[in-house]
Amino acid sequence: DTGVSQDPRHKITKRGQNVTFRCDPISEHNRLYWYRQTLGQGPEFLTYFQNEAQLEKSRLLSDRFSAERPKGSFSTLEIQRTEQGDSAMYLCASSFGGEGAYGYTFGSGTRLTVV
Amino acid sequence: GESVGLHLPTLSVQEGDNSIINCAYSNSASDYFIWYKQESGKGPQFIIDIRSNMDKRQGQRVTVLLNKTVKHLSLQIAATQPGDSAVYFCAEKTGGFKTIFGAGTRLFVKA
């Protein structure tokens, strides 16, 4: 296992287009998180999965955003009708639930540029 | 509302010196704190954590101090090396699932 993988690393899209990102967590991790990070800022929480269940969503996750984790393994984050304000780094992280296991392992992120 | 912030946006230290990165948090109910390191083009990397029932925790060359009275968290890096140059984030959890990150401090290590 080489850690958390995200694909693609970079995505440039025209405003109004739909984009989809993929995250492959560490295989034994049951928890998966999506964060968004803009330049000079810390990551902002978007959503959280425990196995295949989406248990929490941020208010940042508008109705244009949808995330899935169909089999409790990989996850996808889709943004519909992209806007320039969606330009950011989208980070995926995973962890193994349980007491004292709150540190995440992050992927290297997908950098989205909306032009 | 909840907020995690940092006192200084940038910190410059001489190689071999000790570094101290500070962080203030506002939610007294936070019970778990984490420091992450983020290098350019990479995701944040877990460094060290501390629970609210502790005041100090040590790792390899790093120490985290927690002062709950003034809601202050610090990360000390001993004998700072060029490879320590990065952005450092403090983060907090309050029960739930999400981690709240601060804005980060950029550490520059001068050779």
Side-chain angles (χ1 to χ4, degrees):
Chain A
D1 197 332
T2 56
V4 178
S5 299
Q6 292 189 245
D7 182 72
R9 290 295 309 276
H10 303 275
K11 178 70 176 179
I12 300 175
T13 191
K14 292 183 178 180
R15 188 173 49 189
Q17 297 294 305
N18 300 340
V19 294
T20 299
F21 310 141
R22 177 180 170 120
C23 171
D24 287 273
I26 292 174
S27 57
E28 60 265 29
H29 284 183
N30 60 342
R31 298 184 177 189
L32 186 146
Y33 313 80
W34 284 98
Y35 278 78
R36 181 172 70 185
Q37 186 176 28
T38 54
L39 194 63
Q41 300 297 314
E44 296 175 293
F45 172 80
L46 292 179
T47 190
Y48 158 71
F49 290 87
Q50 183 161 315
N51 300 312
E52 66 275 11
Q54 189 174 21
L55 297 184
E56 190 169 350
K57 292 170 59 174
S58 165
R59 286 171 294 178
L60 294 174
L61 216 63
S62 74
D63 56 4
R64 297 186 297 106
F65 288 71
S66 62
E68 295 183 342
R69 194 183 183 197
K71 298 181 180 179
S73 56
F74 74 92
S75 176
T76 58
L77 177 68
E78 181 183 16
I79 308 174
Q80 295 182 326
R81 305 180 303 281
T82 52
E83 302 172 355
Q84 286 188 322
D86 297 331
S87 295
M89 176 77 83
Y90 290 84
L91 293 162
C92 176
S94 69
S95 70
F96 182 74
E99 193 68 16
Y102 293 154
Y104 299 161
T105 300
F106 277 90
S108 293
T110 294
R111 180 166 296 282
L112 173 66
T113 302
V114 181
V115 298
Chain B
E2 299 168 333
S3 69
V4 175
L6 296 173
H7 294 309
L8 297 173
T10 61
L11 177 65
S12 184
V13 299
Q14 197 70 38
E15 181 180 358
D17 288 351
N18 296 335
S19 303
I20 300 176
I21 301 172
N22 295 305
C23 176
Y25 64 95
S26 61
N27 190 344
S28 58
S30 293
D31 57 5
Y32 181 72
F33 303 88
I34 315 112
W35 281 100
Y36 285 91
K37 171 187 180 182
Q38 187 172 26
E39 297 174 287
S40 181
K42 297 182 180 180
Q45 177 186 5
F46 174 89
I47 300 174
I48 191 168
D49 59 358
I50 189 168
R51 294 194 169 279
S52 59
N53 61 353
M54 301 172 68
D55 298 323
K56 179 180 180 179
R57 192 166 188 215
Q58 288 184 294
Q60 188 175 14
R61 283 201 307 119
V62 294
T63 301
V64 55
L65 298 177
L66 176 63
N67 185 332
K68 294 180 288 295
T69 302
V70 295
K71 290 185 279 190
H72 183 269
L73 193 68
S74 69
L75 176 70
Q76 300 179 2
I77 304 173
T80 313
Q81 302 170 357
D84 295 326
S85 294
V87 176
Y88 289 81
F89 294 98
C90 65
E92 63 179 321
K93 292 179 73 75
T94 312
F97 304 119
K98 67 181 179 182
T99 296
I100 299 170
F101 287 79
T105 292
R106 182 173 295 280
L107 176 65
F108 292 101
V109 181
K110 297 177 288 186

